[in-house]
Amino acid sequence: MQPLFLYNTLTRKKEEFKPIKPPLVGLYVCGPTVYSDVHLGNCRTFISFDMIYRYLVHIGYKVRYVRNITDAGHLEGDRDEGDDKFAKKAKLEQVEPMEIVQKYTVGFHDVMQAFNNLPPSIEPTATGHICEQIEMIKEIIAKGFAYVVDGTVYFDVEKYNKDFSYGQLTNRKLEELLEGTRELSGQDEKRGRLDFALWINAKPETLMRWPSPWGWGFPGWHIECSAMSSKYLGDVFDIHGGGMDLQATHHTNEIAQSQACNHKAPVNYWMHTNMLTVNGARMSKSAGNGFLPGELFTGDHPLLEKGYSPMGVRFFMMQTHYHSTLDFSNEALQASEKGFERLMESHNTLQTLKAGTTSSEDIKALQQKCYDAMNDDFNTPILIAHLFEAARIVNSANDNKLTVTQNDIDTLKNIYQHFVFDVMGLKKEEENSKTTAVLDKVIHMVLDIRNKAKVEKNFPLSDEIRNKLTDAGVQIKDTKEGSSWKI
RNA sequence: GGUCCUGUGGCCGAGUGGCUAGGCUCAGCUCUGCAAAAGCUGCUACAGCGGUUCGAAUCCGCUCGGGACCUCCA
């Protein structure tokens, strides 16, 4: 296996990836909180990690990919009052909290499928792991890094920082973190400003609550990921991923919880995907500048000029490195849509490409370049650049401007299959095969008539047929072998 | 206010101390009855000012612009 390098947030360096027990790899990614529709920023993270997962599998690793569903305990702010997001939404919509969870979980899965994301190996829910979370909190208290106030359990950050380093993931010292000039409001219970809740006391009217050694309540936001990742991947595992916005708070606290429990750093490689922006500003729930995946597909949103296919959007995302911000604009989206079509078209051409006896191209070298790109921190933009080189070779060979052997063609087919479809997870847009078959016959009938007109040099008629087909959305391609069409 | 990231040609976006990524757009050419498609060619950029270096878009400093985190968010 060739060495794979990835950027590790923990060390702020590109490092060679060395799993704990090859070929096994443990991968944990923070999943969605299912109290509303997923928005596009979440999708970018999940699409990026889907690509990473696919590549790890492609190069031979046996990956256990865990992505959680947060369906409880996620408070608005770290206050020890009020309901969690699900209960709030449930009261608003006059339904059971678990109805909210169910509705948006199903919606989330639909979107993941539309983007052709593979399902994770395990998709655990927070509500399904209350016991594990309670056990972990008990352990943290036993180790002396948490305290209880009126049925709420807090993590003692300053005490923890004496033995370990709290801000290591963001490269910050505790004193710096404490220096923030934020007002201390409604936080009288907590000993330290940075302390966060592990378990939150709940009043009887709270809809979602569970019994615990500290009374009825519900878990804090950060504990679920620590409890579930260690349950399914072990106390120390290979890769933990998520959006960059989780780095400073959520992931920092995850490390603290696990380390307080086991006295071991839980994760060897932390990977963070960058944010999605719209007109230069981060797309976020609170900013309200986002659109939903569904709106993106249909184009039904003021910011969108038209609808964009899920695969076009996925390709667009792949053209930017996962670690860079990605700005959404109609212009950029349409540009990459065209590029994607051209790449797919060249794949069609490849299927009927005729082999020559000599070769003028080094296809094996091109294939190696594709691996080099991916091995360098999953550099899909570079990979795509090489794939367009492959497309150029295919098209040129098809025009008899260069020659490739059967061996080359087989390698090219492998390149497309492995990198375009298997690793980047792109696929050709679904067509209704039955309808398409009929349509194909009809259009070929029309093209036959047009060809007769052309032979008779009745160009006004042949052009009229072509123009009308174009108006109907059918593009005609004339070649020496005859005419073909596409939508 | 604190911490950090970033500024690339018409647009989007990679990237390494020296060998012009790629896509889209635009112009020209080849092919074609004309187009389209495809191929070829051209448009050759790295915010500004200093510094290090034989050589910097790539390293350092300053200035200006954009953004993120510190508060729920992937």
Side-chain angles (χ1 to χ4, degrees), chain A residues 25-31 45-54 56-57 62-68 108 112 117-124 232-233 239 241:
Chain A
V25 171
L27 169 65
Y28 188 95
V29 174
C30 294
T45 295
F46 303 136
I47 288 170
S48 294
F49 281 104
D50 183 61
M51 175 275 293
I52 288 166
Y53 170 53
R54 284 165 175 272
L56 290 170
V57 169
K62 193 167 161 28
V63 185
R64 181 179 288 170
Y65 174 22
V66 182
R67 187 183 65 207
N68 67 300
F108 170 65
M112 288 298 100
N117 278 348
L118 295 170
S121 321
I122 303 174
E123 197 168 44
Y232 295 112
L233 299 174
I239 303 174

Side-chain angles (χ1 to χ4, degrees), chain A residues 204-260:
Chain A
E205 59 267 30
T206 299
L207 294 170
M208 288 178 91
R209 60 191 199 126
W210 293 263
S212 79
W214 318 284
W216 286 82
F218 52 90
W221 172 36
H222 314 294
I223 194 72
E224 63 168 291
C225 285
S226 294
M228 296 192 285
S229 63
S230 70
K231 170 163 181 168
Y232 295 112
L233 299 174
D235 290 340
V236 181
F237 59 97
D238 298 301
I239 303 174
H240 189 131
M244 270 181 191
D245 51 345
L246 298 183
Q247 189 180 327
T249 308
H250 181 55
H251 292 160
T252 291
N253 289 346
E254 266 189 66
I255 292 175
Q257 290 165 347
S258 295
Q259 194 128 303

Side-chain angles (χ1 to χ4, degrees), chain A residues 322-339:
Chain A
Y322 76 86
H323 209 263
S324 303
T325 54
L326 171 64
D327 195 53
F328 245 70
S329 70
N330 285 285
E331 211 179 357
L333 223 33
Q334 284 165 29
S336 91
E337 198 171 50
K338 283 183 188 169

Side-chain angles (χ1 to χ4, degrees), chain A residues 165-178:
Chain A
S165 168
Y166 178 72
Q168 62 180 151
L169 195 58
T170 44
N171 192 26
R172 300 177 67 180
K173 294 190 176 71
L174 189 68
E175 303 79 66
E176 292 170 4
L177 289 166
L178 286 167

Side-chain angles (χ1 to χ4, degrees), chain A residues 411-428:
Chain A
T411 306
L412 281 165
K413 282 182 178 171
N414 274 335
I415 290 174
Y416 275 83
Q417 182 59 44
H418 292 158
F419 291 102
V420 179
F421 303 113
D422 295 348
V423 171
M424 286 202 289
L426 297 163
K427 61 178 181 182
K428 293 195 174 160

Side-chain angles (χ1 to χ4, degrees), chain A residues 75 85 92 118 182 262 277 456:
Chain A
L75 274 178
K85 283 181 175 172
L92 211 63
L118 295 170
R182 300 251 157 205
N262 307 313
T277 61
E456 292 163 8

Side-chain angles (χ1 to χ4, degrees), chain A residues 8 10-11 15 18-20 236-239 265-270:
Chain A
N8 189 352
L10 198 60
T11 55
E15 294 178 354
K18 289 186 175 150
I20 298 162
V236 181
F237 59 97
D238 298 301
I239 303 174
V267 175
N268 289 339
Y269 303 91
W270 282 91

